[in-house]
Every structure is written in structure tokens, then in C-alpha cells.
Amino acid sequence: MSFHPQTWFITGAARGIGAHTVQAALAAGHNVVATARNRHSITTTHDRLLALDLDVTVEAQAHAAVQAAVARFGRIDVLLNNAGYGQLGLFEESTAADAQAQFDTNVFGLFHVTRAVLPVMRQQRAGRVLNISSIAGMRGRTGTSLYSASKFAVEGFSEALAQEVAAFGTFVTIVQPGAFRTDFLDGQSMRTGSRPLADYAAQSAQVTEGFGARNHQQPGDPARLAAALLQLAAHPTPPLRFAAGNDAVEIVGAKIEALRAELEAWRALSVTTDGVF
Ligand SMILES: NC(=O)c1ccc[n+]([C@@H]2O[C@H](COP(=O)([O-])OP(=O)(O)OC[C@H]3O[C@@H](n4cnc5c(N)ncnc54)[C@H](OP(=O)(O)O)[C@@H]3O)[C@@H](O)[C@H]2O)c1
């Protein structure tokens, strides 16, 4: 494939997957707009890098960042909606505020940034939107109720959006990382429910220990994920969904089989509900 320099716009770019993608895109020769809640937390400097403040929960900041990006580079070819965190805990131990905050970042924040960037891509009649979901956007498990809800929302949104913007040469790809070695399960990123309940104490302890044991031990390498994202963004026909990592491939495959088996097991009853009007 011949090399075409692109302008990337990345959210949550100071740490983890976002930071690795900044490095990879710069190394490949692309322009990068790296955004973070505090732009000073982006330590990389480069003449093809523009670092901007963007808390994705603040829509006005998204519009201002996009304006600054276009003023500097003239276009945005790739939007990487990466900013997010895991509200990992049991639903009944979470408050309405916990749920609201999770959706404010992972869902409404992603909407804000997408809404700000799409007019640029529509005008260009070209663009790539890479939305970071998760295997939790495919499968719910004990301890992921709110996080999975937010990532399932990202999946449904992205699947529909892909059809709406295809006419403008814009592709949407949902990226489903398995477990990657970032700060994701660390105390500085992950949040747990703020309403402990005695009935859930044992289950909650198990969940917390499970995530704690995996913190910074995850098999996925964020640098390699960044390299894969660059390939997806350069591909002429990118996929709608992309599972990242052996664990993700296994989990998505098992989910497809479980869905198929359940559909067949209940087919006879399912097909009885059409009206005879
Ligand atoms: N690592 C995994 O195993 C894994 C698996 C599946 C999906 N993911 C997804 O991958 C994405 C990146 O996570 P990561 O693994 O790289 O975790 P990370 O190391 O914790 O990085 C998360 C980044 O998101 C940023 N962020 C959080 N809230 C934000 C907000 N309101 N506005 C702007 N930025 C915000 C953080 O910024 P600050 O530096 O300001 O806190 C941080 O840079 C997330 O969407 C996550 O759900 C991760």
C-alpha cells in the first residue's frame, strides 16, 4: 500500500491506547491532534503534533478543538474516539451519579466529539471514525453492567452511524479491544460503585480482586493495537467491527455461537408472534 499522510484527531491521548496511537501515527509520518483533559499531560512534542485541551464531556471544548485542528492542518482524516473509563462494579452498588458519569464520558462524550468532527469529514467527502468499544460492548459480565451498557451504546450508535455517513465517503469502525496493558484497571482510571451493600459484599470482593489481579498484567500490547489502528485507517474497505487480541476473538466467537444457539432453541416460539390481521 502506498503511503498517504493523514491527520489524526485522538481523544484521551495522554495515556494508554491513545498515547500509543499518537506515537505510532507520528512515527508513520501522519499529523496528529492529540487531545486530553489537560493538554500538558501530553508529554510528546513534534512539529506534526498539536496538543489540545479536550474533556469529552464538554461539548463546547470538542467544537473548539476541532476548529483549532482544522486551522492548523486543514482537515481531519481519522477520528479516534478513545477517551473512556470503566465503571466496574455491581449495578446495585452504583448510584445514579455513577451511571450518569459513565455515560457522560463513554457515550455522550463520544457523541460530542463525533458531532463536532463529522461536518469536516462530510465537507471532505472522506473520513474514518474509529470508535473504541470493548469486548464488554459484546458481552456483559458480573461487574460490567454500567460499563457494558455504555459500550453496547457505542456499538449500536456506530453501526447505525456507519450507514448514515457512508454516502459521504466516511467509514465507521468499532474497535473491540480485549484486555490491554494500560492504566484501565488502575485506581487512577477505573471506578467502582459508591454504594456498598452487605448482600453483595462477597460478589463485590471477588470482582474487585479479579480486576486487581489483572491490573497491568493484561496480555494485550497497546503499541501493537496502535499499529493495527493505523492499518485499519489506511485500508480501502475497513471492517465495521474489529476484535483486538486473541481473547477478544475468542469472546466474540463464543458470543456469536451463543446467540445463534439461543435463537434456534427458541425459534418455534419466536415465530408465533406475527399478527394474522
Ligand atoms: N485497556 C483495556 O483493557 C481496554 C479494553 C477494552 C476497551 N478499552 C477502552 O480503551 C479506551 C482507552 O482506555 P485505556 O485502556 O487506554 O485506559 P487508560 O490508560 O486509563 O486511558 C484512558 C484515557 O481516557 C482519558 N479520559 C477519561 N475520561 C476522559 C474525559 N472525560 N475526557 C477526555 N479524556 C478522558 C484519560 O485521560 P486522563 O489522563 O485525563 O485521565 C486517559 O488518557 C477506553 O475507551 C476504554 O474503555 C480498554
Side-chain angles (χ1 to χ4, degrees):
M1 242 185 290
S2 58
F3 176 69
H4 298 286
Q6 295 167 317
T7 296
W8 283 63
F9 186 105
I10 300 172
T11 65
R15 293 190 283 142
I17 294 166
H20 281 279
T21 310
V22 170
Q23 299 291 351
L26 286 172
H30 299 300
N31 301 320
V32 178
V33 182
T35 72
R37 281 189 276 208
N38 175 1
R39 70 179 189 281
H40 300 296
S41 60
I42 297 165
T43 47
T44 308
T45 53
H46 198 287
D47 58 359
R48 281 183 277 105
L49 175 81
L50 176 64
L52 298 173
D53 287 320
L54 174 52
D55 179 332
V56 297
T57 65
V58 184
E59 184 169 20
Q61 274 196 1
H63 288 281
V66 167
Q67 260 187 10
V70 173
R72 169 74 185 270
F73 295 117
R75 54 190 291 123
I76 296 171
D77 298 296
V78 185
L79 165 61
L80 177 61
N81 274 317
N82 163 75
Y85 71 92
Q87 177 69 44
L88 300 171
L90 306 170
F91 177 71
E92 276 208 88
E93 293 195 322
S94 313
T95 62
D98 293 333
Q100 189 67 52
Q102 177 72 114
F103 273 68
D104 281 347
T105 297
N106 291 12
V107 181
F108 295 111
L110 182 144
F111 289 174
H112 293 333
V113 179
T114 306
R115 201 180 291 114
V117 169
L118 281 179
V120 178
M121 293 185 170
R122 189 156 39 80
Q123 204 184 359
Q124 293 167 181
R125 292 295 195 261
R128 302 298 176 102
V129 179
L130 303 177
N131 285 339
I132 301 291
S133 172
S134 169
I135 44 164
M138 261 279 135
R139 176 191 74 168
R141 290 186 97 187
T142 297
T144 71
S145 45
L146 291 176
Y147 180 58
S148 282
S150 75
K151 293 298 190 181
F152 269 63
V154 168
E155 298 252 346
F157 164 69
S158 305
E159 195 170 303
L161 182 73
Q163 295 169 45
E164 296 176 8
V165 300
F168 308 114
T170 299
F171 293 89
V172 179
T173 295
I174 301 160
V175 179
Q176 302 169 315
F180 278 80
R181 202 167 294 190
T182 66
D183 292 337
F184 182 72
L185 291 177
D186 206 275
Q188 55 183 321
S189 291
M190 172 184 148
R191 299 185 208 172
T192 52
S194 41
R195 197 174 73 113
L197 293 174
D199 277 347
Y200 282 105
Q203 215 181 131
S204 189
Q206 209 176 1
V207 167
T208 309
E209 275 165 33
F211 287 132
R214 275 178 273 162
N215 185 19
H216 293 299
Q217 301 300 320
Q218 300 97 326
D221 179 346
R224 288 183 167 216
L225 174 54
L229 295 178
L230 259 65
Q231 286 201 41
L232 290 173
H235 200 282
T237 53
L240 174 62
R241 282 190 173 76
F242 176 77
N246 274 294
D247 53 353
V249 170
E250 285 296 317
I251 288 162
V252 173
K255 176 71 188 239
I256 293 167
E257 281 169 29
L259 280 174
R260 170 58 67 189
E262 196 168 70
L263 187 71
E264 295 307 336
W266 288 90
R267 177 186 289 273
L269 180 61
S270 292
V271 299
T272 61
T273 61
D274 297 357
V276 189
F277 302 119

